[in-house]
Amino acid sequence: MSRRTTVLACLVTSTLLTLVAATPAAAAAPRSEWDYVALGDSYSSGVGTSGQTGLCLRSANGYPGLWDKANDPKTFRSVACSGATTSSLRSSQLSALGTGTDLVTLTIGGNDVGFASTVITCTLVSDSACAAKVEEARDILENELPAKLDATYADIKRKAPNAKVVVLGYPILFDEKNAYCGVGGMSIPKRKAINAGNAELNDLLAARSQAAGLIWSDVEDEFAGHGICASSPWLNNLTVVPPQNSFHPNSSGYKNGYLPALSGSLD
């Protein structure tokens, strides 16, 4: 190559690089143009607050509905369902996703490790029996749940390859400082055992979601100081009517806990 040709090539390359550098990146689509799908279990369907309907107990006052109301995306659909596990999510919820989906949110994993049965058992039995029940849940968490989460996250990415996928954690359920927790309330040793298992579940969800390239949204900080037994709880204690509200966020929990956590993860 002649010296003249070499100089010309360098000039052309330099000009192209300058043009590329000067061209602004394409602006992200505003949230008003997003297609949003909420997946997950009862913490995503809105159990614990008012307005629950249908077999899946979905409520517009859960965090997905509140985010929809605050951001007015182009479309919003919730297929989250009370009682959902990783298996039922994969078999019955993924059909709501597509290549045009822009945002996916979910909570999942609690039912896989027996969240409901663990908390109910701990309500009724001794401190030592509660600790043993939590250890059973931990065994499932450590030996079975990681592979189930990996498969679930991979399926979501495959069905919605262009979406931001936000995996939200679970709040630490109980305040451990207040000795009194209402009539029939949990003892402090029971609360500590459940909270420790809860934190371990969140740690696993964070690790596996981030390893899958998804967005992790921890809600522990948002709910700090507002656990069950605290002076201003954002979660329901054992509830007789309706019973499913037990140990789920109340309206303040979804509005002041989950919604800010989700919004912050998207900023």
Side-chain angles (χ1 to χ4, degrees):
M1 181 182 291
S2 69
R3 182 175 182 277
R4 181 180 179 183
T5 304
T6 302
V7 172
L8 180 59
C10 289
L11 287 172
V12 171
T13 302
S14 177
T15 302
L16 289 174
L17 289 174
T18 301
L19 289 173
V20 169
T23 302
R31 295 177 183 182
S32 60
E33 296 180 11
W34 286 8
D35 292 310
Y36 169 32
V37 178
L39 310 175
D41 55 24
S42 55
Y43 275 64
S44 291
S45 70
V47 171
T49 187
S50 60
Q52 300 167 51
T53 61
L55 295 176
C56 286
L57 302 174
R58 297 185 190 117
S59 170
N61 295 309
Y63 76 82
L66 294 176
W67 193 92
D68 169 53
K69 184 177 180 180
N71 293 274
D72 193 25
K74 182 172 67 175
T75 65
F76 165 62
R77 181 182 180 189
S78 175
V79 292
C81 195
S82 177
T85 62
T86 52
S87 177
S88 65
L89 184 154
R90 294 172 67 195
S91 65
S92 63
Q93 297 185 20
L94 295 181
S95 59
L97 305 179
T99 56
T101 305
D102 298 291
L103 174 64
V104 179
T105 62
L106 69 150
T107 54
I108 203 68
N111 292 317
D112 289 80
V113 299
F115 165 80
S117 62
T118 297
V119 178
I120 291 171
T121 296
C122 284
T123 302
L124 302 173
V125 302
S126 66
D127 291 352
S128 60
C130 173
K133 183 65 176 177
V134 172
E135 284 304 311
E136 290 180 16
R138 272 198 170 119
D139 183 65
I140 298 171
L141 186 154
E142 294 170 1
N143 297 303
E144 300 178 23
L145 188 56
K148 292 181 178 180
L149 292 174
D150 290 348
T152 302
Y153 298 153
D155 281 353
I156 292 171
K157 288 180 68 177
R158 184 167 54 252
K159 292 286 290 185
N162 302 310
K164 293 178 182 290
V165 181
V166 182
V167 177
L168 296 103
Y170 297 96
I172 299 300
L173 285 180
F174 294 97
D175 175 89
E176 298 177 1
K177 297 177 181 178
N178 192 350
Y180 181 70
C181 197
V183 178
M186 297 275 191
S187 67
I188 289 180
K190 289 180 182 180
R191 289 181 240 165
K192 288 184 175 180
I194 293 171
N195 284 353
N198 198 158
E200 189 172 336
L201 173 59
N202 282 335
D203 288 344
L204 177 64
L205 294 171
R208 300 322 306 156
S209 62
Q210 290 171 334
L214 309 184
I215 300 170
W216 166 247
S217 182
D218 189 355
V219 301
E220 290 184 17
D221 286 347
E222 282 78 8
F223 277 86
H226 297 284
I228 297 167
C229 311
S231 58
S232 178
W234 290 355
L235 296 122
N236 297 298
N237 204 339
L238 183 65
T239 305
V240 177
V241 181
Q244 74 269 10
N245 282 1
S246 301
F247 311 113
H248 284 79
N250 56 30
S251 58
S252 294
Y254 285 117
K255 180 180 179 180
N256 301 319
Y258 267 104
L259 180 60
L262 172 57
S263 298
S265 70
L266 295 170
D267 289 342

